Amino acid sequence: MKAVFSILVDNTSGVLSRVAGLFSRRGFNIDSLTVSETEDPAYSRMTIVSTGDDDVLDQIEKQLAKQVDVKSVKVLSPDDSVTRELILVKVAAGPADRQAVIATSDIFRAKIVDVSASSLTVELTGNQSKISAFINLLGEDRILELVRTGVTGLERGAGCMSDSIED
């Protein structure tokens, strides 16, 4: 089972290393990791996707909450959150293939961001199932290069993680 952890941390040096080290020491795998400063420069938000059974995921959440730099931890449930990922895909597409790649990109509302004589670079943002479906439709033999940002997400509604921080 996969879980998406949204973690509010102090925006200080070494925090990423300490959080990643927790996963390493405990033998937990990180499937995806994104980090960025929040609306308040004193804090950063990490979004970590990890896989395991219920006990492992519960243990990850508890271990994260114990970290000194961690201010708040939430598990983003698919029904109560919005998650997105960005990919850039360089696709082999000569003049004869180009229209098929453009048509597939249009269906997924992807953008063509670079064109060369023998390839197109496509940008797509969406949830993981949309990204996977796009990659499958393009086909492995067409993909020259692919890079993914990893999942990032927010809980739905008006609540904010920073509301739970005690000064």
Side-chain angles (χ1 to χ4, degrees), residues 2-38:
K2 255 185 198 189
V4 178
F5 297 94
S6 185
I7 309 157
L8 194 64
V9 297
D10 289 327
N11 186 12
T12 57
S13 63
V15 174
L16 175 59
S17 177
R18 287 188 287 279
V19 170
L22 176 148
F23 278 77
S24 175
R25 284 188 310 277
R26 305 275 186 209
F28 303 139
N29 189 42
I30 295 175
D31 298 331
S32 169
L33 169 67
T34 60
V35 185
S36 182
E37 189 176 273
T38 67

Short mmCIF file of all heavy atoms in Angstrom, two decimals, residues 2-38:
data_model
loop_
_atom_site.label_atom_id
_atom_site.label_comp_id
_atom_site.label_asym_id
_atom_site.label_seq_id
_atom_site.Cartn_x
_atom_site.Cartn_y
_atom_site.Cartn_z
N LYS A 2 0.48 2.26 -0.76
CA LYS A 2 1.23 3.51 -0.84
C LYS A 2 0.61 4.56 0.06
O LYS A 2 -0.60 4.63 0.21
CB LYS A 2 1.17 4.02 -2.28
CG LYS A 2 2.42 3.82 -3.03
CD LYS A 2 2.37 4.45 -4.39
CE LYS A 2 3.49 3.79 -5.14
NZ LYS A 2 3.83 4.27 -6.35
N ALA A 3 1.47 5.40 0.63
CA ALA A 3 0.99 6.53 1.42
C ALA A 3 1.75 7.77 1.00
O ALA A 3 2.93 7.71 0.67
CB ALA A 3 1.20 6.27 2.91
N VAL A 4 1.04 8.90 1.01
CA VAL A 4 1.63 10.20 0.71
C VAL A 4 1.67 10.99 2.01
O VAL A 4 0.63 11.29 2.59
CB VAL A 4 0.81 10.96 -0.36
CG1 VAL A 4 1.43 12.32 -0.63
CG2 VAL A 4 0.70 10.15 -1.64
N PHE A 5 2.89 11.28 2.48
CA PHE A 5 3.08 12.04 3.71
C PHE A 5 3.38 13.48 3.37
O PHE A 5 4.31 13.77 2.62
CB PHE A 5 4.26 11.46 4.52
CG PHE A 5 4.06 10.05 4.98
CD1 PHE A 5 4.54 8.99 4.22
CD2 PHE A 5 3.38 9.78 6.16
CE1 PHE A 5 4.34 7.69 4.64
CE2 PHE A 5 3.18 8.48 6.58
CZ PHE A 5 3.67 7.42 5.82
N SER A 6 2.60 14.40 3.94
CA SER A 6 2.85 15.82 3.80
C SER A 6 3.45 16.27 5.13
O SER A 6 2.83 16.11 6.19
CB SER A 6 1.55 16.56 3.50
OG SER A 6 1.80 17.92 3.27
N ILE A 7 4.66 16.82 5.07
CA ILE A 7 5.42 17.09 6.28
C ILE A 7 5.87 18.55 6.28
O ILE A 7 6.54 19.00 5.36
CB ILE A 7 6.66 16.18 6.36
CG1 ILE A 7 6.26 14.72 6.14
CG2 ILE A 7 7.39 16.37 7.67
CD1 ILE A 7 7.39 13.85 5.66
N LEU A 8 5.50 19.28 7.31
CA LEU A 8 5.93 20.66 7.47
C LEU A 8 7.16 20.65 8.39
O LEU A 8 7.11 20.10 9.49
CB LEU A 8 4.82 21.50 8.09
CG LEU A 8 4.98 23.01 8.03
CD1 LEU A 8 4.96 23.48 6.57
CD2 LEU A 8 3.88 23.69 8.81
N VAL A 9 8.27 21.20 7.90
CA VAL A 9 9.54 21.17 8.64
C VAL A 9 10.13 22.56 8.72
O VAL A 9 9.79 23.45 7.94
CB VAL A 9 10.56 20.21 7.97
CG1 VAL A 9 10.06 18.78 7.96
CG2 VAL A 9 10.92 20.67 6.57
N ASP A 10 11.05 22.72 9.68
CA ASP A 10 11.83 23.97 9.74
C ASP A 10 12.64 24.09 8.46
O ASP A 10 13.17 23.11 7.96
CB ASP A 10 12.79 23.95 10.93
CG ASP A 10 12.08 24.07 12.26
OD1 ASP A 10 11.05 24.75 12.33
OD2 ASP A 10 12.58 23.46 13.24
N ASN A 11 12.74 25.28 7.91
CA ASN A 11 13.52 25.52 6.71
C ASN A 11 14.96 25.85 7.12
O ASN A 11 15.38 27.00 7.11
CB ASN A 11 12.90 26.66 5.90
CG ASN A 11 13.58 26.86 4.57
OD1 ASN A 11 14.37 26.02 4.13
ND2 ASN A 11 13.29 27.96 3.91
N THR A 12 15.68 24.81 7.53
CA THR A 12 17.06 24.97 7.96
C THR A 12 17.92 23.90 7.28
O THR A 12 17.40 22.89 6.80
CB THR A 12 17.21 24.82 9.49
OG1 THR A 12 16.68 23.55 9.88
CG2 THR A 12 16.46 25.92 10.22
N SER A 13 19.22 24.16 7.25
CA SER A 13 20.11 23.20 6.60
C SER A 13 20.14 21.89 7.38
O SER A 13 20.06 21.89 8.61
CB SER A 13 21.52 23.79 6.46
OG SER A 13 22.06 24.01 7.73
N GLY A 14 20.23 20.80 6.64
CA GLY A 14 20.34 19.48 7.25
C GLY A 14 19.03 18.76 7.49
O GLY A 14 19.02 17.58 7.81
N VAL A 15 17.90 19.46 7.37
CA VAL A 15 16.60 18.83 7.63
C VAL A 15 16.33 17.70 6.65
O VAL A 15 15.93 16.60 7.05
CB VAL A 15 15.45 19.87 7.59
CG1 VAL A 15 14.10 19.19 7.73
CG2 VAL A 15 15.63 20.90 8.68
N LEU A 16 16.58 17.94 5.38
CA LEU A 16 16.35 16.90 4.38
C LEU A 16 17.20 15.66 4.69
O LEU A 16 16.71 14.54 4.64
CB LEU A 16 16.66 17.42 2.97
CG LEU A 16 16.58 16.40 1.84
CD1 LEU A 16 15.20 15.78 1.75
CD2 LEU A 16 16.96 17.05 0.52
N SER A 17 18.43 15.88 5.03
CA SER A 17 19.34 14.78 5.35
C SER A 17 18.84 13.99 6.57
O SER A 17 18.87 12.76 6.58
CB SER A 17 20.74 15.32 5.62
OG SER A 17 21.60 14.30 6.00
N ARG A 18 18.36 14.68 7.58
CA ARG A 18 17.88 14.00 8.79
C ARG A 18 16.61 13.20 8.51
O ARG A 18 16.47 12.08 8.99
CB ARG A 18 17.67 15.01 9.92
CG ARG A 18 18.99 15.50 10.50
CD ARG A 18 18.78 16.35 11.74
NE ARG A 18 18.24 17.68 11.46
CZ ARG A 18 18.96 18.71 11.04
NH1 ARG A 18 20.26 18.58 10.82
NH2 ARG A 18 18.40 19.88 10.83
N VAL A 19 15.70 13.75 7.73
CA VAL A 19 14.46 13.02 7.41
C VAL A 19 14.76 11.83 6.51
O VAL A 19 14.29 10.72 6.76
CB VAL A 19 13.41 13.97 6.78
CG1 VAL A 19 12.23 13.18 6.23
CG2 VAL A 19 12.93 14.99 7.81
N ALA A 20 15.58 12.05 5.49
CA ALA A 20 15.95 10.93 4.61
C ALA A 20 16.72 9.87 5.38
O ALA A 20 16.54 8.66 5.15
CB ALA A 20 16.77 11.44 3.42
N GLY A 21 17.55 10.29 6.32
CA GLY A 21 18.30 9.36 7.15
C GLY A 21 17.41 8.49 8.00
O GLY A 21 17.70 7.31 8.24
N LEU A 22 16.30 9.05 8.47
CA LEU A 22 15.33 8.27 9.24
C LEU A 22 14.83 7.10 8.40
O LEU A 22 14.75 5.96 8.86
CB LEU A 22 14.16 9.17 9.66
CG LEU A 22 13.00 8.52 10.39
CD1 LEU A 22 12.40 9.51 11.36
CD2 LEU A 22 11.93 8.04 9.44
N PHE A 23 14.50 7.37 7.14
CA PHE A 23 14.02 6.32 6.24
C PHE A 23 15.11 5.27 6.03
O PHE A 23 14.86 4.07 6.08
CB PHE A 23 13.58 6.91 4.90
CG PHE A 23 12.20 7.47 4.93
CD1 PHE A 23 11.95 8.70 5.51
CD2 PHE A 23 11.13 6.77 4.38
CE1 PHE A 23 10.67 9.23 5.55
CE2 PHE A 23 9.85 7.28 4.41
CZ PHE A 23 9.62 8.52 5.00
N SER A 24 16.33 5.73 5.82
CA SER A 24 17.45 4.83 5.57
C SER A 24 17.74 3.94 6.78
O SER A 24 17.89 2.73 6.64
CB SER A 24 18.68 5.66 5.20
OG SER A 24 19.80 4.85 5.07
N ARG A 25 17.81 4.55 7.96
CA ARG A 25 18.12 3.79 9.18
C ARG A 25 17.07 2.74 9.48
O ARG A 25 17.38 1.66 9.99
CB ARG A 25 18.22 4.74 10.39
CG ARG A 25 19.49 5.54 10.45
CD ARG A 25 19.61 6.30 11.76
NE ARG A 25 18.43 7.08 12.13
CZ ARG A 25 18.16 8.30 11.70
NH1 ARG A 25 18.96 8.89 10.83
NH2 ARG A 25 17.10 8.94 12.12
N ARG A 26 15.84 3.03 9.19
CA ARG A 26 14.73 2.11 9.51
C ARG A 26 14.45 1.12 8.38
O ARG A 26 13.62 0.25 8.51
CB ARG A 26 13.46 2.90 9.79
CG ARG A 26 13.59 3.93 10.87
CD ARG A 26 13.39 3.31 12.22
NE ARG A 26 13.39 4.35 13.22
CZ ARG A 26 13.77 4.17 14.46
NH1 ARG A 26 14.18 3.00 14.85
NH2 ARG A 26 13.75 5.15 15.31
N GLY A 27 15.14 1.31 7.24
CA GLY A 27 14.93 0.39 6.12
C GLY A 27 13.65 0.66 5.35
O GLY A 27 13.13 -0.21 4.66
N PHE A 28 13.13 1.89 5.45
CA PHE A 28 11.94 2.28 4.69
C PHE A 28 12.38 2.83 3.35
O PHE A 28 13.40 3.52 3.25
CB PHE A 28 11.14 3.38 5.42
CG PHE A 28 10.69 3.02 6.81
CD1 PHE A 28 10.75 3.96 7.82
CD2 PHE A 28 10.21 1.75 7.12
CE1 PHE A 28 10.34 3.66 9.11
CE2 PHE A 28 9.80 1.44 8.40
CZ PHE A 28 9.87 2.40 9.41
N ASN A 29 11.61 2.56 2.31
CA ASN A 29 11.94 3.05 0.98
C ASN A 29 11.18 4.34 0.69
O ASN A 29 10.01 4.48 1.07
CB ASN A 29 11.61 2.01 -0.09
CG ASN A 29 12.15 2.41 -1.44
OD1 ASN A 29 13.27 2.90 -1.55
ND2 ASN A 29 11.35 2.24 -2.47
N ILE A 30 11.82 5.28 0.02
CA ILE A 30 11.16 6.50 -0.46
C ILE A 30 10.91 6.31 -1.94
O ILE A 30 11.85 6.17 -2.72
CB ILE A 30 12.04 7.74 -0.21
CG1 ILE A 30 12.23 7.98 1.29
CG2 ILE A 30 11.42 8.97 -0.88
CD1 ILE A 30 13.19 9.11 1.62
N ASP A 31 9.63 6.28 -2.34
CA ASP A 31 9.27 6.17 -3.75
C ASP A 31 9.37 7.51 -4.46
O ASP A 31 9.69 7.57 -5.64
CB ASP A 31 7.84 5.63 -3.90
CG ASP A 31 7.67 4.24 -3.32
OD1 ASP A 31 8.66 3.46 -3.29
OD2 ASP A 31 6.54 3.91 -2.89
N SER A 32 9.06 8.58 -3.73
CA SER A 32 9.06 9.92 -4.30
C SER A 32 9.29 10.92 -3.18
O SER A 32 8.82 10.72 -2.07
CB SER A 32 7.71 10.16 -4.98
OG SER A 32 7.54 11.51 -5.34
N LEU A 33 10.03 12.00 -3.49
CA LEU A 33 10.32 13.03 -2.50
C LEU A 33 10.38 14.38 -3.19
O LEU A 33 11.10 14.55 -4.17
CB LEU A 33 11.67 12.73 -1.83
CG LEU A 33 12.29 13.82 -0.95
CD1 LEU A 33 11.45 14.03 0.30
CD2 LEU A 33 13.71 13.44 -0.57
N THR A 34 9.59 15.32 -2.69
CA THR A 34 9.68 16.71 -3.15
C THR A 34 9.78 17.61 -1.92
O THR A 34 9.20 17.32 -0.88
CB THR A 34 8.47 17.14 -4.00
OG1 THR A 34 7.27 17.03 -3.22
CG2 THR A 34 8.34 16.31 -5.25
N VAL A 35 10.53 18.69 -2.06
CA VAL A 35 10.73 19.64 -0.96
C VAL A 35 10.74 21.04 -1.53
O VAL A 35 11.37 21.29 -2.56
CB VAL A 35 12.07 19.40 -0.24
CG1 VAL A 35 12.19 20.32 0.97
CG2 VAL A 35 12.25 17.96 0.17
N SER A 36 10.08 21.96 -0.83
CA SER A 36 10.14 23.36 -1.24
C SER A 36 9.75 24.25 -0.07
O SER A 36 9.02 23.83 0.84
CB SER A 36 9.17 23.60 -2.40
OG SER A 36 9.26 24.93 -2.83
N GLU A 37 10.24 25.47 -0.12
CA GLU A 37 9.87 26.48 0.86
C GLU A 37 8.36 26.73 0.76
O GLU A 37 7.78 26.67 -0.32
CB GLU A 37 10.65 27.76 0.55
CG GLU A 37 10.55 28.83 1.58
CD GLU A 37 11.44 30.01 1.24
OE1 GLU A 37 12.62 29.99 1.62
OE2 GLU A 37 10.95 30.95 0.57
N THR A 38 7.72 27.05 1.88
CA THR A 38 6.28 27.32 1.90
C THR A 38 6.01 28.82 1.77
O THR A 38 6.94 29.60 1.53
CB THR A 38 5.64 26.82 3.21
OG1 THR A 38 6.15 27.61 4.29
CG2 THR A 38 5.90 25.35 3.44
#
